Amino acid sequence: RVVLPDGELAAGDVLTLEGEIVEIKPSRSQPAQGVVTLRNVVNNQAGEPVYLLTVNVLVFRRGAVTL
């Protein structure tokens, strides 16, 4: 899911990225895998959010044996 607030970007703006792991869920059907929900916010130099992205990523669990 992507949300773009009303903020504008201009050449020369200083941007910062904040990333957060929102949720980690093991897969019920695939024990070697899990789903991680990540939330990323890009802020301009005034600290206003200009870009918000939330994604679900399928990952292998630590120590999982893959074929």
Side-chain angles (χ1 to χ4, degrees):
R1 190 175 115 213
V2 177
V3 177
L4 297 173
D6 293 335
E8 293 184 15
L9 293 177
D13 280 356
V14 177
L15 304 176
T16 58
L17 172 70
E18 297 176 14
E20 175 185 11
I21 297 173
V22 178
E23 184 177 25
I24 301 173
K25 291 192 309 188
S27 172
R28 289 178 284 201
S29 61
Q30 299 293 325
Q33 297 177 354
V35 176
V36 178
T37 302
L38 305 170
R39 181 176 183 257
N40 296 294
V41 180
V42 177
N43 298 310
N44 63 14
Q45 64 272 13
E48 301 164 336
V50 293
Y51 185 80
L52 171 63
L53 175 66
T54 303
V55 295
N56 293 319
V57 181
L58 182 64
V59 297
F60 285 102
R61 296 178 68 176
R62 185 180 303 150
V65 177
T66 60
L67 299 176

Short mmCIF file of all heavy atoms in Angstrom, two decimals:
data_model
loop_
_atom_site.label_atom_id
_atom_site.label_comp_id
_atom_site.label_asym_id
_atom_site.label_seq_id
_atom_site.Cartn_x
_atom_site.Cartn_y
_atom_site.Cartn_z
N ARG A 1 0.84 -1.16 0.00
CA ARG A 1 0.00 0.00 0.00
C ARG A 1 0.89 1.24 0.00
O ARG A 1 1.81 1.33 0.78
CB ARG A 1 -0.87 -0.03 1.25
CG ARG A 1 -1.94 1.00 1.24
CD ARG A 1 -2.83 0.84 2.45
NE ARG A 1 -2.64 2.04 3.24
CZ ARG A 1 -2.69 2.08 4.53
NH1 ARG A 1 -2.87 1.00 5.21
NH2 ARG A 1 -2.52 3.20 5.16
N VAL A 2 0.61 2.17 -0.86
CA VAL A 2 1.38 3.40 -0.97
C VAL A 2 0.45 4.58 -0.72
O VAL A 2 -0.63 4.65 -1.28
CB VAL A 2 2.01 3.54 -2.38
CG1 VAL A 2 2.73 4.85 -2.52
CG2 VAL A 2 2.94 2.38 -2.66
N VAL A 3 0.89 5.51 0.12
CA VAL A 3 0.12 6.72 0.40
C VAL A 3 1.02 7.91 0.14
O VAL A 3 2.13 7.98 0.64
CB VAL A 3 -0.37 6.76 1.87
CG1 VAL A 3 -1.08 8.05 2.14
CG2 VAL A 3 -1.26 5.57 2.16
N LEU A 4 0.56 8.83 -0.68
CA LEU A 4 1.30 10.06 -0.96
C LEU A 4 0.52 11.23 -0.39
O LEU A 4 -0.52 11.60 -0.92
CB LEU A 4 1.51 10.25 -2.47
CG LEU A 4 2.35 9.19 -3.16
CD1 LEU A 4 2.34 9.41 -4.66
CD2 LEU A 4 3.76 9.22 -2.64
N PRO A 5 1.01 11.83 0.73
CA PRO A 5 0.31 13.01 1.27
C PRO A 5 0.39 14.18 0.30
O PRO A 5 1.03 14.11 -0.74
CB PRO A 5 1.08 13.31 2.56
CG PRO A 5 1.80 12.04 2.88
CD PRO A 5 2.08 11.39 1.57
N ASP A 6 -0.23 15.28 0.67
CA ASP A 6 -0.28 16.46 -0.19
C ASP A 6 1.06 17.19 -0.29
O ASP A 6 1.17 18.15 -1.03
CB ASP A 6 -1.34 17.44 0.33
CG ASP A 6 -2.73 16.87 0.18
OD1 ASP A 6 -2.92 16.01 -0.70
OD2 ASP A 6 -3.63 17.28 0.93
N GLY A 7 2.07 16.76 0.47
CA GLY A 7 3.36 17.44 0.44
C GLY A 7 4.00 17.38 -0.94
O GLY A 7 3.76 16.47 -1.72
N GLU A 8 4.80 18.40 -1.24
CA GLU A 8 5.47 18.45 -2.53
C GLU A 8 6.97 18.27 -2.34
O GLU A 8 7.51 18.59 -1.28
CB GLU A 8 5.20 19.80 -3.20
CG GLU A 8 3.76 20.00 -3.59
CD GLU A 8 3.55 21.29 -4.35
OE1 GLU A 8 4.54 21.89 -4.79
OE2 GLU A 8 2.40 21.69 -4.48
N LEU A 9 7.61 17.79 -3.36
CA LEU A 9 9.06 17.65 -3.37
C LEU A 9 9.64 18.60 -4.40
O LEU A 9 9.04 18.86 -5.44
CB LEU A 9 9.46 16.22 -3.74
CG LEU A 9 9.12 15.13 -2.74
CD1 LEU A 9 9.53 13.77 -3.30
CD2 LEU A 9 9.79 15.38 -1.42
N ALA A 10 10.83 19.10 -4.09
CA ALA A 10 11.52 19.99 -5.03
C ALA A 10 12.98 19.57 -5.10
O ALA A 10 13.51 18.95 -4.16
CB ALA A 10 11.40 21.44 -4.58
N ALA A 11 13.63 19.90 -6.19
CA ALA A 11 15.06 19.61 -6.34
C ALA A 11 15.81 20.28 -5.19
O ALA A 11 15.54 21.43 -4.82
CB ALA A 11 15.55 20.13 -7.67
N GLY A 12 16.72 19.55 -4.59
CA GLY A 12 17.50 20.08 -3.49
C GLY A 12 16.93 19.79 -2.12
O GLY A 12 17.57 20.07 -1.11
N ASP A 13 15.71 19.23 -2.04
CA ASP A 13 15.14 18.87 -0.75
C ASP A 13 16.00 17.80 -0.08
O ASP A 13 16.56 16.93 -0.75
CB ASP A 13 13.72 18.32 -0.90
CG ASP A 13 12.68 19.40 -1.07
OD1 ASP A 13 13.03 20.59 -1.00
OD2 ASP A 13 11.50 19.05 -1.30
N VAL A 14 16.11 17.86 1.23
CA VAL A 14 16.81 16.85 2.00
C VAL A 14 15.78 15.86 2.52
O VAL A 14 14.85 16.26 3.25
CB VAL A 14 17.60 17.49 3.16
CG1 VAL A 14 18.26 16.41 4.00
CG2 VAL A 14 18.62 18.48 2.63
N LEU A 15 15.92 14.59 2.14
CA LEU A 15 14.95 13.57 2.53
C LEU A 15 15.57 12.61 3.53
O LEU A 15 16.76 12.31 3.46
CB LEU A 15 14.48 12.80 1.30
CG LEU A 15 13.88 13.62 0.17
CD1 LEU A 15 13.55 12.72 -1.01
CD2 LEU A 15 12.65 14.37 0.64
N THR A 16 14.75 12.13 4.45
CA THR A 16 15.17 11.10 5.39
C THR A 16 14.18 9.94 5.31
O THR A 16 13.00 10.14 5.02
CB THR A 16 15.23 11.62 6.84
OG1 THR A 16 13.95 12.12 7.21
CG2 THR A 16 16.28 12.71 6.98
N LEU A 17 14.69 8.74 5.55
CA LEU A 17 13.86 7.54 5.50
C LEU A 17 13.81 6.92 6.88
O LEU A 17 14.84 6.74 7.53
CB LEU A 17 14.45 6.53 4.51
CG LEU A 17 13.80 5.15 4.48
CD1 LEU A 17 12.40 5.24 3.89
CD2 LEU A 17 14.64 4.17 3.71
N GLU A 18 12.60 6.59 7.32
CA GLU A 18 12.40 5.86 8.56
C GLU A 18 11.76 4.53 8.20
O GLU A 18 10.75 4.49 7.50
CB GLU A 18 11.48 6.63 9.50
CG GLU A 18 12.01 7.96 9.95
CD GLU A 18 11.01 8.72 10.82
OE1 GLU A 18 10.03 8.11 11.29
OE2 GLU A 18 11.23 9.91 11.02
N GLY A 19 12.36 3.44 8.67
CA GLY A 19 11.82 2.11 8.42
C GLY A 19 11.46 1.43 9.73
O GLY A 19 12.11 1.62 10.76
N GLU A 20 10.39 0.63 9.69
CA GLU A 20 9.91 -0.04 10.88
C GLU A 20 9.39 -1.42 10.51
O GLU A 20 8.68 -1.58 9.51
CB GLU A 20 8.79 0.80 11.50
CG GLU A 20 8.11 0.17 12.67
CD GLU A 20 6.92 0.98 13.17
OE1 GLU A 20 6.49 1.92 12.49
OE2 GLU A 20 6.43 0.65 14.26
N ILE A 21 9.74 -2.41 11.30
CA ILE A 21 9.13 -3.74 11.17
C ILE A 21 7.86 -3.70 12.00
O ILE A 21 7.90 -3.53 13.22
CB ILE A 21 10.07 -4.85 11.65
CG1 ILE A 21 11.33 -4.88 10.78
CG2 ILE A 21 9.35 -6.19 11.64
CD1 ILE A 21 12.39 -5.84 11.26
N VAL A 22 6.72 -3.84 11.32
CA VAL A 22 5.43 -3.71 11.97
C VAL A 22 4.95 -5.05 12.54
O VAL A 22 4.40 -5.11 13.63
CB VAL A 22 4.37 -3.15 10.99
CG1 VAL A 22 3.01 -3.06 11.62
CG2 VAL A 22 4.82 -1.80 10.47
N GLU A 23 5.20 -6.13 11.78
CA GLU A 23 4.68 -7.43 12.20
C GLU A 23 5.52 -8.54 11.59
O GLU A 23 6.02 -8.41 10.47
CB GLU A 23 3.22 -7.57 11.74
CG GLU A 23 2.53 -8.83 12.18
CD GLU A 23 1.07 -8.88 11.76
OE1 GLU A 23 0.70 -8.23 10.76
OE2 GLU A 23 0.31 -9.58 12.42
N ILE A 24 5.67 -9.63 12.35
CA ILE A 24 6.34 -10.84 11.86
C ILE A 24 5.39 -12.00 12.14
O ILE A 24 5.01 -12.22 13.30
CB ILE A 24 7.69 -11.07 12.57
CG1 ILE A 24 8.63 -9.90 12.34
CG2 ILE A 24 8.31 -12.38 12.09
CD1 ILE A 24 9.91 -9.97 13.14
N LYS A 25 4.99 -12.70 11.08
CA LYS A 25 4.06 -13.83 11.23
C LYS A 25 4.65 -15.07 10.59
O LYS A 25 5.03 -15.03 9.41
CB LYS A 25 2.72 -13.53 10.55
CG LYS A 25 1.91 -12.46 11.20
CD LYS A 25 0.49 -12.40 10.67
CE LYS A 25 0.43 -12.34 9.16
NZ LYS A 25 -0.92 -12.10 8.64
N PRO A 26 4.74 -16.17 11.31
CA PRO A 26 5.15 -17.42 10.68
C PRO A 26 4.05 -17.92 9.75
O PRO A 26 2.86 -17.70 10.01
CB PRO A 26 5.37 -18.37 11.84
CG PRO A 26 4.68 -17.76 13.01
CD PRO A 26 4.50 -16.31 12.74
N SER A 27 4.45 -18.57 8.68
CA SER A 27 3.48 -19.15 7.75
C SER A 27 2.90 -20.41 8.36
O SER A 27 3.63 -21.25 8.90
CB SER A 27 4.16 -19.46 6.42
OG SER A 27 3.28 -20.18 5.58
N ARG A 28 1.59 -20.56 8.27
CA ARG A 28 0.96 -21.77 8.79
C ARG A 28 1.15 -22.95 7.84
O ARG A 28 1.27 -24.08 8.27
CB ARG A 28 -0.52 -21.54 9.03
CG ARG A 28 -0.78 -20.62 10.22
CD ARG A 28 -2.24 -20.37 10.40
NE ARG A 28 -2.62 -19.40 9.37
CZ ARG A 28 -3.67 -18.65 9.41
NH1 ARG A 28 -4.52 -18.77 10.40
NH2 ARG A 28 -3.92 -17.79 8.47
N SER A 29 1.20 -22.67 6.53
CA SER A 29 1.29 -23.76 5.56
C SER A 29 2.73 -24.09 5.17
O SER A 29 2.99 -25.19 4.72
CB SER A 29 0.50 -23.39 4.29
OG SER A 29 1.04 -22.22 3.70
N GLN A 30 3.65 -23.14 5.34
CA GLN A 30 5.06 -23.36 4.99
C GLN A 30 5.92 -23.05 6.22
O GLN A 30 6.31 -21.91 6.44
CB GLN A 30 5.47 -22.45 3.82
CG GLN A 30 4.70 -22.67 2.55
CD GLN A 30 5.00 -24.03 1.94
OE1 GLN A 30 6.11 -24.54 2.02
NE2 GLN A 30 3.98 -24.63 1.35
N PRO A 31 6.25 -24.06 7.03
CA PRO A 31 6.95 -23.82 8.28
C PRO A 31 8.32 -23.14 8.12
O PRO A 31 8.81 -22.53 9.05
CB PRO A 31 7.11 -25.20 8.91
CG PRO A 31 6.31 -26.12 8.09
CD PRO A 31 5.92 -25.45 6.83
N ALA A 32 8.93 -23.25 6.97
CA ALA A 32 10.24 -22.65 6.75
C ALA A 32 10.15 -21.18 6.32
O ALA A 32 11.17 -20.54 6.12
CB ALA A 32 11.01 -23.44 5.68
N GLN A 33 8.94 -20.66 6.21
CA GLN A 33 8.76 -19.29 5.73
C GLN A 33 7.92 -18.47 6.71
O GLN A 33 7.25 -19.01 7.57
CB GLN A 33 8.09 -19.29 4.35
CG GLN A 33 8.90 -19.97 3.28
CD GLN A 33 8.17 -20.02 1.96
OE1 GLN A 33 7.01 -19.65 1.85
NE2 GLN A 33 8.86 -20.48 0.93
N GLY A 34 7.97 -17.15 6.51
CA GLY A 34 7.17 -16.25 7.30
C GLY A 34 6.90 -14.99 6.50
O GLY A 34 7.50 -14.76 5.45
N VAL A 35 6.00 -14.15 7.01
CA VAL A 35 5.65 -12.89 6.36
C VAL A 35 6.04 -11.75 7.30
O VAL A 35 5.64 -11.75 8.47
CB VAL A 35 4.15 -12.83 6.01
CG1 VAL A 35 3.80 -11.48 5.41
CG2 VAL A 35 3.78 -13.95 5.07
N VAL A 36 6.81 -10.80 6.77
CA VAL A 36 7.22 -9.63 7.53
C VAL A 36 6.54 -8.41 6.91
O VAL A 36 6.60 -8.21 5.70
CB VAL A 36 8.76 -9.44 7.50
CG1 VAL A 36 9.17 -8.18 8.25
CG2 VAL A 36 9.45 -10.67 8.09
N THR A 37 5.88 -7.61 7.74
CA THR A 37 5.25 -6.37 7.29
C THR A 37 6.20 -5.22 7.62
O THR A 37 6.59 -5.05 8.78
CB THR A 37 3.89 -6.15 7.96
OG1 THR A 37 3.05 -7.27 7.66
CG2 THR A 37 3.22 -4.88 7.45
N LEU A 38 6.59 -4.45 6.58
CA LEU A 38 7.51 -3.33 6.73
C LEU A 38 6.78 -2.03 6.41
O LEU A 38 5.98 -1.97 5.49
CB LEU A 38 8.69 -3.48 5.76
CG LEU A 38 9.47 -4.78 5.86
CD1 LEU A 38 10.44 -4.88 4.69
CD2 LEU A 38 10.20 -4.86 7.17
N ARG A 39 7.09 -0.99 7.18
CA ARG A 39 6.51 0.33 6.94
C ARG A 39 7.66 1.31 6.78
O ARG A 39 8.54 1.40 7.63
CB ARG A 39 5.64 0.75 8.11
CG ARG A 39 4.98 2.10 7.95
CD ARG A 39 4.06 2.38 9.13
NE ARG A 39 3.38 3.63 8.96
CZ ARG A 39 3.71 4.75 9.60
NH1 ARG A 39 4.71 4.74 10.45
NH2 ARG A 39 3.04 5.86 9.39
N ASN A 40 7.68 2.04 5.67
CA ASN A 40 8.71 3.03 5.39
C ASN A 40 8.07 4.39 5.16
O ASN A 40 7.07 4.50 4.46
CB ASN A 40 9.50 2.64 4.13
CG ASN A 40 10.25 1.34 4.33
OD1 ASN A 40 11.15 1.27 5.14
ND2 ASN A 40 9.84 0.31 3.61
N VAL A 41 8.66 5.41 5.79
CA VAL A 41 8.17 6.78 5.64
C VAL A 41 9.34 7.65 5.19
O VAL A 41 10.41 7.60 5.79
CB VAL A 41 7.61 7.34 6.97
CG1 VAL A 41 7.13 8.76 6.80
CG2 VAL A 41 6.51 6.45 7.50
N VAL A 42 9.13 8.41 4.12
CA VAL A 42 10.12 9.39 3.67
C VAL A 42 9.63 10.76 4.11
O VAL A 42 8.51 11.14 3.82
CB VAL A 42 10.30 9.34 2.13
CG1 VAL A 42 11.28 10.42 1.68
CG2 VAL A 42 10.78 7.96 1.70
N ASN A 43 10.50 11.49 4.83
CA ASN A 43 10.17 12.82 5.33
C ASN A 43 11.03 13.86 4.61
O ASN A 43 12.18 13.59 4.25
CB ASN A 43 10.45 12.93 6.83
CG ASN A 43 9.59 11.97 7.63
OD1 ASN A 43 8.38 11.93 7.46
ND2 ASN A 43 10.21 11.21 8.49
N ASN A 44 10.48 15.06 4.43
CA ASN A 44 11.27 16.16 3.87
C ASN A 44 12.03 16.85 4.99
O ASN A 44 11.97 16.43 6.15
CB ASN A 44 10.39 17.13 3.07
CG ASN A 44 9.35 17.82 3.93
OD1 ASN A 44 9.40 17.80 5.15
ND2 ASN A 44 8.37 18.42 3.27
N GLN A 45 12.75 17.92 4.66
CA GLN A 45 13.59 18.60 5.65
C GLN A 45 12.80 19.25 6.78
O GLN A 45 13.34 19.52 7.85
CB GLN A 45 14.51 19.64 4.99
CG GLN A 45 13.80 20.80 4.34
CD GLN A 45 13.42 20.53 2.89
OE1 GLN A 45 13.48 19.39 2.43
NE2 GLN A 45 13.04 21.55 2.16
N ALA A 46 11.51 19.46 6.57
CA ALA A 46 10.65 20.02 7.62
C ALA A 46 10.07 18.91 8.51
O ALA A 46 9.31 19.18 9.43
CB ALA A 46 9.51 20.82 7.00
N GLY A 47 10.43 17.64 8.22
CA GLY A 47 9.91 16.52 9.00
C GLY A 47 8.52 16.08 8.59
O GLY A 47 7.91 15.26 9.27
N GLU A 48 8.02 16.60 7.47
CA GLU A 48 6.69 16.23 6.99
C GLU A 48 6.78 14.98 6.12
O GLU A 48 7.65 14.89 5.26
CB GLU A 48 6.11 17.37 6.16
CG GLU A 48 5.97 18.67 6.92
CD GLU A 48 5.76 19.86 6.00
OE1 GLU A 48 6.16 19.79 4.82
OE2 GLU A 48 5.21 20.86 6.47
N PRO A 49 5.89 14.02 6.32
CA PRO A 49 5.92 12.82 5.48
C PRO A 49 5.53 13.17 4.04
O PRO A 49 4.56 13.87 3.81
CB PRO A 49 4.89 11.89 6.12
CG PRO A 49 4.02 12.76 6.95
CD PRO A 49 4.82 13.97 7.32
N VAL A 50 6.32 12.69 3.09
CA VAL A 50 6.01 12.92 1.68
C VAL A 50 5.76 11.60 0.95
O VAL A 50 5.31 11.60 -0.20
CB VAL A 50 7.12 13.72 0.97
CG1 VAL A 50 7.19 15.12 1.51
CG2 VAL A 50 8.46 13.03 1.09
N TYR A 51 6.05 10.47 1.61
CA TYR A 51 5.86 9.17 0.97
C TYR A 51 5.72 8.12 2.06
O TYR A 51 6.52 8.10 3.01
CB TYR A 51 7.05 8.86 0.07
CG TYR A 51 6.93 7.60 -0.75
CD1 TYR A 51 6.20 7.59 -1.92
CD2 TYR A 51 7.58 6.44 -0.37
CE1 TYR A 51 6.11 6.44 -2.69
CE2 TYR A 51 7.49 5.28 -1.14
CZ TYR A 51 6.76 5.30 -2.29
OH TYR A 51 6.66 4.16 -3.05
N LEU A 52 4.73 7.27 1.96
CA LEU A 52 4.51 6.19 2.91
C LEU A 52 4.31 4.90 2.14
O LEU A 52 3.48 4.86 1.22
CB LEU A 52 3.28 6.49 3.79
CG LEU A 52 2.79 5.38 4.70
CD1 LEU A 52 3.84 5.01 5.73
CD2 LEU A 52 1.50 5.77 5.37
N LEU A 53 5.06 3.88 2.50
CA LEU A 53 4.96 2.59 1.83
C LEU A 53 4.89 1.50 2.88
O LEU A 53 5.74 1.41 3.77
CB LEU A 53 6.18 2.37 0.93
CG LEU A 53 6.29 1.01 0.24
CD1 LEU A 53 5.16 0.84 -0.77
CD2 LEU A 53 7.64 0.86 -0.42
N THR A 54 3.87 0.65 2.78
CA THR A 54 3.74 -0.52 3.65
C THR A 54 3.71 -1.76 2.75
O THR A 54 2.91 -1.82 1.82
CB THR A 54 2.45 -0.45 4.49
OG1 THR A 54 2.47 0.76 5.24
CG2 THR A 54 2.35 -1.61 5.44
N VAL A 55 4.63 -2.70 3.02
CA VAL A 55 4.72 -3.89 2.19
C VAL A 55 4.78 -5.15 3.05
O VAL A 55 5.22 -5.10 4.19
CB VAL A 55 5.95 -3.85 1.25
CG1 VAL A 55 5.85 -2.73 0.25
CG2 VAL A 55 7.24 -3.75 2.05
N ASN A 56 4.33 -6.25 2.48
CA ASN A 56 4.48 -7.57 3.08
C ASN A 56 5.53 -8.32 2.27
O ASN A 56 5.45 -8.37 1.05
CB ASN A 56 3.16 -8.35 3.05
CG ASN A 56 2.13 -7.72 3.95
OD1 ASN A 56 2.43 -7.29 5.04
ND2 ASN A 56 0.89 -7.67 3.48
N VAL A 57 6.51 -8.90 2.99
CA VAL A 57 7.61 -9.60 2.34
C VAL A 57 7.63 -11.04 2.83
O VAL A 57 7.60 -11.29 4.04
CB VAL A 57 8.95 -8.92 2.67
CG1 VAL A 57 10.10 -9.62 1.99
CG2 VAL A 57 8.92 -7.45 2.29
N LEU A 58 7.68 -11.98 1.89
CA LEU A 58 7.80 -13.40 2.23
C LEU A 58 9.27 -13.72 2.41
O LEU A 58 10.08 -13.47 1.51
CB LEU A 58 7.19 -14.26 1.11
CG LEU A 58 7.20 -15.77 1.35
CD1 LEU A 58 6.33 -16.13 2.54
CD2 LEU A 58 6.74 -16.51 0.11
N VAL A 59 9.64 -14.24 3.58
CA VAL A 59 11.04 -14.52 3.89
C VAL A 59 11.19 -15.94 4.43
O VAL A 59 10.22 -16.54 4.90
CB VAL A 59 11.60 -13.52 4.93
CG1 VAL A 59 11.59 -12.09 4.39
CG2 VAL A 59 10.83 -13.60 6.23
N PHE A 60 12.41 -16.46 4.33
CA PHE A 60 12.72 -17.74 4.96
C PHE A 60 13.04 -17.49 6.42
O PHE A 60 13.68 -16.50 6.77
CB PHE A 60 13.90 -18.43 4.27
CG PHE A 60 13.53 -19.02 2.95
CD1 PHE A 60 13.87 -18.38 1.78
CD2 PHE A 60 12.84 -20.22 2.88
CE1 PHE A 60 13.52 -18.92 0.56
CE2 PHE A 60 12.49 -20.77 1.67
CZ PHE A 60 12.83 -20.12 0.51
N ARG A 61 12.59 -18.38 7.27
CA ARG A 61 12.85 -18.26 8.70
C ARG A 61 14.30 -18.62 9.01
O ARG A 61 14.90 -19.44 8.32
CB ARG A 61 11.89 -19.14 9.48
CG ARG A 61 10.45 -18.69 9.29
CD ARG A 61 9.49 -19.56 10.02
NE ARG A 61 9.66 -19.39 11.45
CZ ARG A 61 8.91 -19.98 12.34
NH1 ARG A 61 7.93 -20.78 11.96
NH2 ARG A 61 9.11 -19.79 13.63
N ARG A 62 14.84 -18.01 10.04
CA ARG A 62 16.22 -18.28 10.45
C ARG A 62 16.38 -19.77 10.75
O ARG A 62 15.57 -20.38 11.43
CB ARG A 62 16.54 -17.47 11.70
CG ARG A 62 17.97 -17.58 12.13
CD ARG A 62 18.25 -16.75 13.36
NE ARG A 62 17.90 -15.37 13.12
CZ ARG A 62 17.48 -14.54 14.05
NH1 ARG A 62 17.32 -14.96 15.28
NH2 ARG A 62 17.19 -13.30 13.75
N GLY A 63 17.43 -20.36 10.20
CA GLY A 63 17.70 -21.76 10.43
C GLY A 63 16.86 -22.71 9.60
O GLY A 63 16.98 -23.93 9.73
N ALA A 64 16.02 -22.18 8.72
CA ALA A 64 15.17 -23.03 7.90
C ALA A 64 16.00 -23.73 6.84
O ALA A 64 16.90 -23.15 6.24
CB ALA A 64 14.07 -22.21 7.23
N VAL A 65 15.69 -24.97 6.60
CA VAL A 65 16.37 -25.74 5.56
C VAL A 65 15.58 -25.56 4.27
O VAL A 65 14.38 -25.81 4.23
CB VAL A 65 16.44 -27.24 5.94
CG1 VAL A 65 17.07 -28.03 4.82
CG2 VAL A 65 17.19 -27.41 7.25
N THR A 66 16.26 -25.07 3.22
CA THR A 66 15.60 -24.87 1.94
C THR A 66 16.14 -25.86 0.94
O THR A 66 17.30 -26.24 0.98
CB THR A 66 15.81 -23.44 1.42
OG1 THR A 66 17.20 -23.23 1.27
CG2 THR A 66 15.22 -22.43 2.39
N LEU A 67 15.29 -26.28 0.03
CA LEU A 67 15.73 -27.24 -1.01
C LEU A 67 15.93 -26.53 -2.33
O LEU A 67 15.32 -25.64 -2.72
CB LEU A 67 14.66 -28.33 -1.17
CG LEU A 67 14.41 -29.14 0.09
CD1 LEU A 67 13.29 -30.12 -0.16
CD2 LEU A 67 15.66 -29.87 0.54
#
